[in-house]
Amino acid sequence: PAQEALILAVAAANPRTVVVLMGGGAILCERWRHRVNAILLLWYPGQQGGEALADVLLGRVSPSGRMPFAVPTSAEHLPAFEPRAASVVYDLWHGYRRLQRQGQAAAFPFGFGLSYSTFAHGELQAELLPETGILRVALTVTNSGPMAAAEVVQVYLEVPGREVERPARTLVGFGRLQLEPGQVQRLELAIPIQRLAYFDEGADAFRLEAGLHRLVVARHAEDPGLAVEVEVRAMQLGT
């Protein structure tokens, strides 16, 4: 509470306030996040963290990190937690998959991250290659902003979900590109077909569900993104 009070006092005095968070997990910031101009999650940066922080804040380097988890707007959106339990069993519904299922928007979604540059995605193509066990996804990435920066292209899967209940959207692949201003590059990702499958306990094997599978290139788990559909036939992938 004392730190939050300090943030609110500083932001009231100067709206051009940047809050730098140092930590190794999600930090709820609903009380103050709309009062400040920017938030930078520093993680635990080590000995050179101060110099790295200065490089980002002063614009020498564009930030390019992406959230490996979703930060909720409330602790009530998280799974139950019992710190004294001898064991805990979590099902499929945790993290951004749980928020999607509950219809809760995250404060900062899985995969979220800002940059000092802007990027455009286009010419998205997807091709299923069963003989090689690969789903090939290709797209064009353009740095349309003012400075060199890295873009992290994220590919999410939306399945028919008729055979078993599955997450509305799941990350199945990603790629990172470092681009100069105005540079255009074609990115190809080879995604294992098994990432499109679900595990069939009865058959003790992974199974592809027949039907249209939607692949979305998005900047985070809640971004509408750029989509392409692939027709998939039912298939057992083995044990």
Side-chain angles (χ1 to χ4, degrees):
Q3 292 177 335
E4 289 192 327
L6 177 60
I7 291 171
L8 290 169
V10 172
N14 183 357
R16 292 176 58 83
T17 295
V18 176
V19 175
V20 179
L21 299 175
M22 184 180 293
I27 299 173
L28 297 180
C29 46
E30 290 305 293
R31 185 182 172 197
W32 53 266
R33 71 181 175 95
H34 296 294
R35 306 283 186 90
V36 300
N37 255 16
I39 302 170
L40 179 63
L41 181 55
L42 196 59
W43 304 100
Y44 293 128
Q47 186 173 350
Q48 295 298 309
E51 293 190 19
L53 173 62
D55 285 342
V56 171
L57 291 181
L58 297 176
R60 301 188 189 112
V61 176
S62 176
S64 61
R66 299 295 183 266
M67 295 294 294
F69 49 70
V71 178
T73 57
S74 170
E76 295 178 356
H77 301 162
L78 299 171
F81 175 63
E82 174 49 63
R84 294 179 178 83
S87 64
V88 177
V89 177
Y90 289 114
D91 59 15
L92 181 64
W93 308 110
H94 58 274
Y96 70 97
R97 297 170 174 178
R98 179 184 177 91
L99 294 180
Q100 288 173 349
R101 192 176 191 231
Q102 294 175 333
Q104 302 284 357
F108 301 102
F110 175 87
F112 180 83
L114 298 179
S115 170
Y116 291 146
S117 199
T118 56
F119 297 88
H121 301 157
E123 301 176 355
L124 176 61
Q125 296 176 322
E127 182 181 11
L128 196 62
L129 305 170
E131 63 279 4
T132 62
I134 292 296
L135 170 68
R136 187 182 67 86
V137 176
L139 71 154
T140 299
V141 183
T142 304
N143 183 346
S144 52
M147 70 179 291
E151 170 71 328
V152 180
V153 176
Q154 303 168 47
V155 181
Y156 291 88
L157 171 69
E158 298 177 358
V159 296
R162 292 188 294 264
E163 296 184 1
V164 295
E165 185 183 13
R166 298 171 67 183
R169 181 182 278 193
T170 301
L171 181 73
V172 292
F174 64 92
R176 178 186 170 101
L177 291 174
Q178 180 72 32
L179 299 175
E180 296 296 321
Q183 184 178 356
V184 181
Q185 187 169 328
R186 189 75 175 164
L187 174 66
E188 289 196 7
L189 297 173
I191 299 172
I193 289 179
Q194 186 167 309
R195 294 183 187 170
L196 280 63
Y198 69 92
F199 188 73
D200 183 343
E201 293 184 3
D204 194 28
F206 284 92
R207 185 182 299 279
L208 286 177
E209 179 180 4
L212 283 178
H213 287 55
R214 194 167 182 261
L215 296 157
V216 184
V217 174
R219 290 188 166 84
H220 54 74
E222 298 180 10
D223 177 33
L226 184 65
V228 63
E229 292 182 334
V230 174
E231 183 71 36
V232 175
R233 65 178 177 86
M235 185 188 310
Q236 185 168 302
L237 301 181
T239 57

